[in-house]
Amino acid sequence: MDNNRRLETEVAADRDQSAFGSLLDGLDKKFMIYKIDSEGLILDTNTRFLDKSGWTPKRVLGKPFKIMFPDTKDGKADLMKVWRRLRSLRPWQGDVLQVTKTGEPYWVSLTAIPVMSGTQHLYTLMIEADRTEERKLREKLESIAYTDPDTGLMNRHKLTEEAEQLIQTDRHFTFVYLAIENFHSLFDPGDKEAENRILSEFVHSMKVYFRNSRFARIGMNEFAVLTPLGSWFAEGFLQFLDEHPIQSDMTGIPVRVSGGIAKFPDDQQSFKHLLSASSIARHRAMRDGGGLITSLSKPEQRAVARRLRIEQKLPGALEEGAIQAFYQPQVDMTTGRIIAAEALVRWEDRDLGNVRPAELIPVAEDAGLISALGAHVIEAAARQAANWKQEGIGVPVSCNTSVREFRAGDMVTKIRDILTRTACPPSLLELEITEKFAFEAEAEGELMHQLKLLHDDGITFALDDFGTGYASFRYMQTVPIQKIKIGEEFIASFSTNEKVGRIVDGLVRFGHSLGLFVVAEGVEDEAVYQALSISGCDAVQGYHTGRPMPADQFTRLLREQALSEKN
Ligand code: C2E
Ligand code: MG
Ligand code: MG
């Protein structure tokens, strides 16, 4: 390097140094600062650093900076992370635990900056802000957020995290869902002391029995254990409780436990699935008399997994329009004309295959998606009815509803909006409700109010699966019904079973006596069709007169019908 070039470099370095100097002055007041050389030896410190760490300059200068890190696994890992980065002359930033001269830990937010002059490393600045108070506060908040206050066990949030971590690292474990069945009969309500004693003895028993396991309280009387031990061991917990009973002070009754087990990864592959499968097994154990810890069979495990897949995929399917309405004709028995179409939900998914309504509706109800699903089908049906009307081949469409859609509260607005949007007159929309629904509506003013409003708009109501629900017809007086549909359960054995035949005759007469239109569902053959005709049934819906079909196919049927009527 010639003299001029050397001079330029030195001047630049000086300028850098002086800018740095004034920056350091500012930092000095707020932060703990020390400098280390390229070997990691401490070169210099500020007073704040000395105050916090308890070192004197005499003792600390020349020492390797690793003395600032705790001599623990985490401490060493942090040190290595920082050092690896600094050795490659790149800055590092993050929270680390440091120790004072006497080994007291304190948290800092560390910014480590290698200071260069050209390509030459002069030293590394270690700038630290004290984070101990924030950390303490955070740990306290975390412990509140993640701990059950009565038992000190993890709560459901923490359990989710712990289980998900085990799953991510592919660690095999058994998920055990336990419930104290007779929890509320073990102490007087409000006797917190007795309640806490039972809880703490139960927790103690779990901890003694399930070694090396993690425990959570996930409900008032419900617990979860994540254990590396197998299901046979988990089942043995009941035997253990028999031998070491926990008894109520009040009655002497022992704690009675039921439980469900699901294994990762053999039975289920996600936390949600494990929870669901073990909870179903636990409820079944209760139903079968309790005092049992059990797991689901392989086919049941698969059913749980499928149910959750349906739940996960349903929102996307609704958004993408993968869920359609099929239409099944209702045929008038005297004229043979199609007089209405029932809209039935259909979903064919690439992975799940055909998701039948019998599977889909309960999942949608449980997942809180029934309103979205119902609205989707009603909108498709209303649009279709409006199209048919415009073409001059109009028939009303009938849509199934679930009581939960009405309980959501905004059903009236939703339906009015749909009718406006699709330009479908209310007279072309019929809503099917079940007997159970009608029964509940009769008792619940809010439900009845909604039915009345829609009825006043001109929408009609049909009672679906009539005869299969409740042996009470009180609702008939108040719920605005125009049509009853006799369920396929009756119709299937109508022509072969004399008693069923008489029941159906009776149902038809019952409907007519109330001035209702009577439709028979599930009519599969001519013999049943003829028998129903003799009974005086008004219309039929079934494979005999037409299966559920896509809209375009139904449109063709309506066009043919219109054409034959013209001729
Ligand atoms: P549902 O309303 O009683 O509908 C009649 C069911 O009987 C339909 O089953 C239909 O395909 C079937 N079916 C029709 N004709 C025959 C026949 O001749 N023989 C036999 N064996 N079955 C016949 P699907 O489509 O599987 O629907 C089942 C149930 O799911 C429906 O019973 C309804 O309660 C519910 N559902 C369907 N779509 C919806 C919807 O969009 N919303 C709601 N909330 N429920 C729906
Ligand atoms: Mg129906
Ligand atoms: Mg039905």
Side-chain angles (χ1 to χ4, degrees):
M1 199 187 287
D2 63 41
N3 277 347
N4 275 347
R5 286 284 301 282
R6 184 177 302 134
L7 200 63
E8 270 172 31
T9 317
E10 279 170 10
V11 170
D14 270 359
R15 202 173 48 232
D16 284 354
Q17 291 298 302
S18 68
F20 216 67
S22 59
L23 179 65
L24 276 186
D25 281 347
L27 295 177
D28 195 40
K29 295 193 183 74
K30 281 197 175 151
F31 299 100
M32 298 171 271
I33 302 176
Y34 61 102
K35 289 181 190 173
I36 57 174
D37 67 10
S38 51
E39 304 286 303
L41 301 178
I42 298 175
L43 294 173
D44 194 4
T45 80
N46 71 351
T47 323
R48 270 184 168 266
F49 171 83
L50 297 174
D51 289 347
K52 182 78 194 178
S53 66
W55 287 98
T56 57
K58 203 169 142 202
R59 298 255 173 218
V60 82
L61 296 184
K63 289 248 163 50
F65 86 113
K66 78 170 186 194
I67 57 161
M68 297 312 301
F69 289 77
D71 191 17
T72 60
K73 202 167 142 228
D74 287 347
K76 282 179 188 145
D78 277 350
L79 172 67
M80 282 321 292
K81 253 192 300 191
V82 178
W83 185 232
R84 226 175 276 132
R85 199 66 199 189
L86 297 182
R87 261 206 327 225
S88 61
L89 299 178
R90 283 178 301 164
W92 190 90
Q93 187 158 39
D95 282 4
V96 287
L97 193 64
Q98 303 278 272
V99 284
T100 63
K101 180 165 178 278
T102 54
E104 290 297 314
Y106 59 99
W107 279 99
V108 298
S109 163
L110 167 68
T111 306
I113 310 167
V115 177
M116 311 293 292
S117 171
T119 54
Q120 194 197 347
H121 175 223
L122 299 175
Y123 54 86
T124 296
L125 257 185
M126 310 288 274
I127 306 166
E128 298 180 333
D130 194 347
R131 288 273 179 262
T132 309
E133 287 311 309
E134 275 129 297
R135 274 277 170 168
K136 272 195 193 148
L137 190 66
R138 199 163 97 192
E139 276 162 18
K140 204 163 162 194
L141 288 175
E142 271 176 6
S143 107
I144 293 169
Y146 283 136
T147 314
D148 170 58
D150 295 331
T151 60
L153 299 181
M154 348 178 231
N155 63 13
R156 193 183 268 260
H157 300 304
K158 185 70 180 160
L159 173 74
T160 312
E161 280 188 7
E162 293 267 321
E164 272 168 2
Q165 187 147 24
L166 289 176
I167 289 168
Q168 267 161 24
T169 49
D170 206 21
R171 300 251 289 280
H172 294 208
F173 64 94
T174 306
F175 188 100
V176 191
Y177 194 124
L178 295 173
I180 304 178
E181 287 170 22
N182 56 348
F183 190 60
H184 294 288
S185 46
L186 296 172
F187 47 85
D188 266 336
D191 186 351
K192 199 70 191 158
E193 208 179 302
E195 182 181 343
N196 281 342
R197 185 187 65 80
I198 298 275
L199 280 173
S200 94
E201 285 189 27
F202 183 73
V203 168
H204 178 73
S205 294
M206 283 198 301
K207 286 184 172 168
V208 169
Y209 185 76
F210 293 97
R211 301 251 166 90
N212 300 322
S213 304
R214 304 278 290 134
F215 306 90
R217 186 180 187 197
I218 53 177
M220 177 65 85
N221 59 334
E222 292 167 318
F223 303 84
V225 187
L226 304 178
T227 177
L229 303 158
S231 32
W232 60 271
F233 187 87
E235 285 162 22
F237 184 51
L238 293 182
Q239 173 90 28
F240 177 82
L241 282 177
D242 273 349
E243 287 159 10
H244 307 85
I246 303 164
Q247 276 164 346
S248 157
D249 287 338
M250 196 173 67
T251 58
I253 299 174
V255 160
R256 213 174 122 85
V257 169
S258 63
I261 299 170
K263 285 180 297 188
F264 173 83
D266 309 15
D267 296 334
Q268 299 294 341
Q269 283 84 47
S270 80
F271 172 70
K272 232 179 151 182
H273 287 74
L274 288 162
L275 187 65
S276 185
S278 59
S279 155
I280 292 170
R282 182 247 137 170
H283 279 103
R284 206 181 48 193
M286 279 277 278
R287 199 196 55 204
D288 294 349
L292 195 70
I293 296 178
T294 179
S295 37
L296 299 182
S297 67
K298 281 280 165 212
E300 287 167 331
Q301 298 280 11
R302 278 197 294 275
V304 169
R306 181 172 163 88
R307 220 185 131 89
L308 283 166
R309 291 282 295 148
I310 292 174
E311 190 180 319
Q312 281 162 354
K313 295 195 87 174
L314 181 53
L318 281 169
E319 224 159 79
E320 291 155 16
I323 292 181
Q324 293 184 328
F326 268 35
Y327 299 88
Q328 187 176 29
Q330 280 172 24
V331 174
D332 186 295
M333 293 203 84
T334 36
T335 62
R337 288 186 77 245
I338 298 172
I339 50 162
E342 176 171 8
L344 295 159
V345 67
R346 289 293 178 268
W347 179 18
E348 184 76 33
D349 179 76
R350 217 179 308 124
D351 311 332
L352 296 164
N354 175 24
V355 184
R356 290 173 304 111
E359 277 190 287
L360 176 59
I361 305 298
V363 174
E365 285 188 331
D366 289 352
L369 291 166
I370 190 67
S371 292
L373 179 67
H376 183 82
V377 175
I378 294 173
E379 174 141 5
R383 183 156 286 130
Q384 197 54 63
N387 286 348
W388 287 331
K389 176 177 172 270
Q390 222 180 6
E391 205 185 315
I393 53 173
V395 289
V397 286
S398 196
C399 293
N400 294 284
T401 57
S402 153
V403 68
R404 297 213 192 173
E405 291 174 72
F406 283 87
R407 289 239 166 81
D410 58 349
M411 190 65 163
V412 173
T413 329
K414 237 179 195 165
I415 289 188
R416 285 177 178 164
D417 286 351
I418 288 174
L419 293 178
T420 314
R421 215 167 28 243
T422 57
C424 173
S427 59
L428 288 184
L429 180 64
E430 179 176 80
L431 297 179
E432 297 193 8
I433 61 173
T434 59
E435 266 182 289
K436 183 169 182 282
F437 185 160
F439 181 75
E440 290 175 14
E442 204 263 333
E444 270 179 60
E446 180 44 38
L447 286 179
M448 185 67 92
H449 179 64
Q450 297 182 53
L451 297 183
K452 289 239 161 84
L453 284 177
L454 293 171
H455 185 246
D456 290 346
D457 283 356
I459 291 167
T460 55
F461 287 92
L463 198 62
D464 205 356
D465 304 332
F466 182 66
T468 57
Y470 285 77
S472 157
F473 296 117
R474 210 175 54 188
Y475 61 79
M476 284 287 186
Q477 302 166 30
T478 42
V479 180
I481 300 161
Q482 289 79 48
K483 189 191 258 187
I484 57 173
K485 299 182 82 178
I486 304 175
E488 56 257 31
E489 293 91 332
F490 285 115
I491 303 303
S493 50
F494 178 40
S495 60
T496 51
N497 184 323
E498 201 196 323
K499 264 195 193 148
V500 176
R502 271 191 244 133
I503 293 173
V504 174
D505 279 344
L507 291 176
V508 173
R509 253 179 284 140
F510 175 75
H512 284 162
S513 70
L514 292 172
L516 303 173
F517 190 84
V518 182
V519 181
E521 281 193 288
V523 180
E524 293 188 355
D525 57 47
E526 182 63 21
V528 174
Y529 187 90
Q530 289 306 333
L532 282 165
S533 171
I534 294 166
S535 291
C537 186
D538 298 305
V540 292
Q541 178 182 336
Y543 297 167
H544 183 60
T545 44
R547 288 186 176 253
M549 60 190 92
D552 54 349
Q553 208 175 318
F554 201 97
T555 307
R556 279 200 292 278
L557 280 186
L558 289 177
R559 283 179 188 153
E560 281 165 20
Q561 172 165 297
L563 211 63
S564 72
E565 277 167 5
K566 242 193 223 160
N567 299 330

